[in-house]
Amino acid sequence: MELRQLQYFVKVARKQHVTQAAEEMHVAQSAVSRQIHLLEEELGVNLFVQKGRNLHLTSVGHLFLSRIEGILTDLERAVGEMHEFLDPEAGEIRIGFPHSLVINLLPAVVASFKKDHPNVKFRLRQGTYASLIRDVTRGEIDLAFISPFPESHEHVSGEILLTEELYAIIPSNHILAEYTSIRLEQLKHESFVMFSEEYTLRAIVMEACLKAGFVPKIEFEGEETDTIRGLVAAGMGVSLLPSMALIEGGQMQPTKIRVTDPQVTRTVGLICRKGEKLPLVAEVFRRFLYEYFQ
């Protein structure tokens, strides 16, 4: 059994497709297929079953994957620790983040950290709330910015870095555009532009609207803050966004107004895998972040 076979197996299991797995690993499809076949022959079991154009794990394939992912994660961590031992300032930090933090926050903190640690590399992964927790739990990333911060979780732990206010955004020609603050109730008859259901910002906005006594009428859904801002600026509805997602850019910008009743906020935290020691360079970055946000 070779390391290459195990790496191919995990990639195919995640992609459920040999061609896509081969393209991502920059190897020939035939090479991936052959190594998977050899692995199944050595184990004496079928790890995959064909369903349409996709490959699905068999029951024993799921069991094998759960063990192999842990082994490969430990191996990757061991190699990283060896490199850090030789030169801690030349290590790599694997960090995840939600889309709403990439506009301003993440570039700022990384740039600040790199001033004193110029040789440290970053491997960045964008994700949703659920996928970031999953990737930290699996050991695929060392740290993750996350919002809202999970106060209690079986597999991850961390601390809140900041609490951020959400603002109402409306078209610039809206009747409320001259106001400096509004009650959320004043938007109850408006059409809303919302994030899709897998994004936690949607849940925060929905909860705030319910507290204000109404269920928002959702006209459009999107997956990026730029899309939400653009639709609102074009007069397609109203929305609520965190302040760091309202960095001005481009000609079409909505009007930003503070919401006072109820005040709407979100927590932004940093998580890692519970009960596990971080790689040295990631621990240095974690401490830097706590000091940065103090």
Side-chain angles (χ1 to χ4, degrees):
M1 191 178 302
E2 299 179 5
L3 175 61
R4 176 179 52 178
Q5 293 174 335
L6 301 180
Q7 291 170 331
Y8 288 1
F9 162 70
V10 170
K11 185 63 70 175
V12 172
R14 291 176 182 167
K15 291 294 181 180
Q16 296 186 346
H17 203 284
V18 172
T19 301
Q20 292 177 9
E23 289 175 352
E24 189 164 309
M25 294 184 292
H26 306 290
V27 295
Q29 177 182 338
S30 58
V32 176
S33 297
R34 174 169 173 74
Q35 292 304 321
I36 294 295
H37 178 68
L38 291 174
L39 179 60
E40 289 180 321
E41 278 193 341
E42 182 173 349
L43 294 173
V45 297
N46 290 324
L47 297 171
F48 296 98
V49 60
Q50 187 84 36
K51 290 186 179 180
R53 295 184 177 181
N54 291 339
L55 288 177
H56 292 259
L57 287 168
T58 61
S59 297
V60 71
H62 278 290
L63 177 62
F64 192 59
L65 177 65
S66 66
R67 299 290 187 267
I68 294 305
E69 282 185 318
I71 291 171
L72 292 180
T73 296
D74 289 342
L75 177 60
E76 185 176 358
R77 183 173 289 111
V79 172
E81 288 175 351
M82 181 188 69
H83 290 159
E84 287 179 13
F85 180 80
L86 297 174
D87 185 2
E89 286 298 314
E92 179 182 73
I93 300 170
R94 304 173 305 165
I95 188 162
F97 57 93
H99 173 265
S100 60
L101 298 185
V102 73
I103 300 171
N104 186 41
L105 177 64
L106 187 63
V109 296
V110 169
S112 182
F113 182 79
K114 291 279 282 184
K115 289 179 181 178
D116 294 326
H117 308 275
N119 296 321
V120 171
K121 297 178 181 178
F122 284 84
R123 190 191 305 180
L124 306 176
R125 178 178 294 188
Q126 184 174 313
T128 62
Y129 182 87
S131 69
L132 291 171
I133 289 182
R134 180 198 66 206
D135 292 345
V136 169
T137 301
R138 288 179 177 177
E140 295 179 7
I141 53 179
D142 304 309
L143 299 163
F145 291 103
I146 197 163
S147 177
F149 177 75
E151 294 290 350
S152 177
H153 194 280
E154 182 181 0
H155 301 297
V156 301
S157 60
E159 292 186 30
I160 294 174
L161 298 177
L162 62 97
T163 299
E164 184 182 22
E165 186 174 359
L166 270 69
Y167 287 81
I169 56 171
I170 62 176
S172 59
N173 62 352
H174 194 280
I175 192 171
L176 299 175
E178 299 300 321
Y179 285 55
T180 57
S181 66
I182 60 171
R183 303 183 315 279
L184 189 55
E185 180 189 17
Q186 291 173 262
L187 299 179
K188 67 180 180 180
H189 298 302
E190 303 287 343
S191 296
F192 273 73
V193 182
M194 288 277 206
F195 280 95
S196 51
E197 290 185 352
E198 64 265 30
Y199 290 86
T200 54
L201 276 173
R202 179 190 177 107
I204 292 172
V205 175
M206 290 292 292
E207 183 180 354
C209 290
L210 291 175
K211 284 183 178 179
F214 70 98
V215 177
K217 180 178 68 174
I218 301 172
E219 192 74 22
F220 294 95
E221 293 185 353
E223 297 184 353
E224 295 188 352
T225 52
D226 289 347
T227 303
I228 305 294
R229 287 203 318 266
L231 287 170
V232 172
M236 298 296 106
V238 302
S239 191
L240 273 73
L241 284 179
S243 56
M244 69 175 67
L246 294 172
I247 305 300
E248 291 190 6
Q251 294 182 347
M252 291 186 64
Q253 292 296 325
T255 296
K256 163 185 166 183
I257 305 175
R258 174 166 276 112
V259 178
T260 58
D261 183 20
Q263 186 180 44
V264 190
T265 61
R266 69 165 180 171
T267 54
V268 177
L270 186 72
I271 58 172
C272 59
R273 191 150 63 159
K274 185 176 288 186
E276 187 164 306
K277 183 180 178 182
L278 284 169
L280 177 60
V281 67
E283 175 62 26
V284 171
F285 185 59
R286 185 185 70 84
R287 293 176 184 173
F288 163 81
L289 288 173
Y290 289 153
E291 293 179 1
Y292 183 94
F293 285 100
Q294 281 181 355

